Amino acid sequence: MPVKFTVVPKKNPQDLLAPAKFYANAVGDGETDLDKLAKAISIQCTVTEADCYAVLVSLESNIITELEEGRIVKLGRLGNFQVGLSSEGKATADEVTSNAITNNRIRFRPGKRLRTFLKTVTYQKVS
């Protein structure tokens, strides 16, 4: 199944007078939540839907706890989660404090199967 995309115009923020260029933009085609994932997983194995849901919710909680401890969370074939930061540049190392941090994010590095999916995915333009 191809990933759908639309075309969107974007202005150059460094040159607002330049004409807009057009870019592909992936389209979300519906949503899947923990309930749906738990049900799908339970159909594929011998674990009940409620047990699958409980494990997924517990996984989320444990990932947060491990990230709070500064750990990289390695989920085997799925991939790794890690906290990433952006900060202001300072003249000396001593000047860099938590006040210099300007942004944070959770970085996800996909495992091999997910990376392979990205290399083999097909696309379909929609209007």
Side-chain angles (χ1 to χ4, degrees):
M1 184 99 161
V3 171
K4 296 176 182 168
F5 73 94
T6 58
V7 178
V8 295
K10 292 186 183 179
K11 286 277 203 179
N12 180 347
Q14 296 175 343
D15 184 2
L16 295 175
L17 298 177
K21 291 189 178 182
F22 294 88
Y23 297 87
N25 187 49
V27 174
D29 193 11
E31 295 179 347
T32 296
D33 60 16
L34 285 180
D35 291 330
K36 191 170 180 180
L37 286 173
K39 185 172 188 157
I41 292 167
S42 72
I43 291 169
Q44 298 166 353
C45 64
T46 60
V47 181
T48 69
E49 182 178 339
D51 288 340
C52 291
Y53 185 82
V55 168
L56 290 170
V57 170
S58 182
L59 176 64
E60 175 195 34
S61 177
N62 281 278
I63 288 172
I64 291 168
T65 299
E66 296 300 314
L67 291 174
E68 286 174 339
E69 294 293 324
R71 295 185 182 100
I72 297 170
V73 180
K74 295 185 173 191
L75 297 178
R77 291 174 30 177
L78 185 60
N80 304 331
F81 291 90
Q82 181 177 7
V83 172
L85 302 175
S86 298
S87 71
E88 300 168 348
K90 300 292 183 177
T92 66
D94 287 339
E95 292 179 84
V96 179
T97 66
S98 61
N99 292 330
I101 296 171
T102 58
N103 195 15
N104 60 15
R105 63 202 161 281
I106 296 176
R107 301 184 67 169
F108 175 71
R109 285 179 296 245
K112 185 176 180 179
R113 287 184 67 191
L114 288 172
R115 287 192 315 268
T116 299
F117 157 75
L118 290 175
K119 291 177 184 176
T120 61
V121 69
T122 59
Y123 301 97
Q124 176 187 359
K125 185 176 179 179
V126 295
S127 44

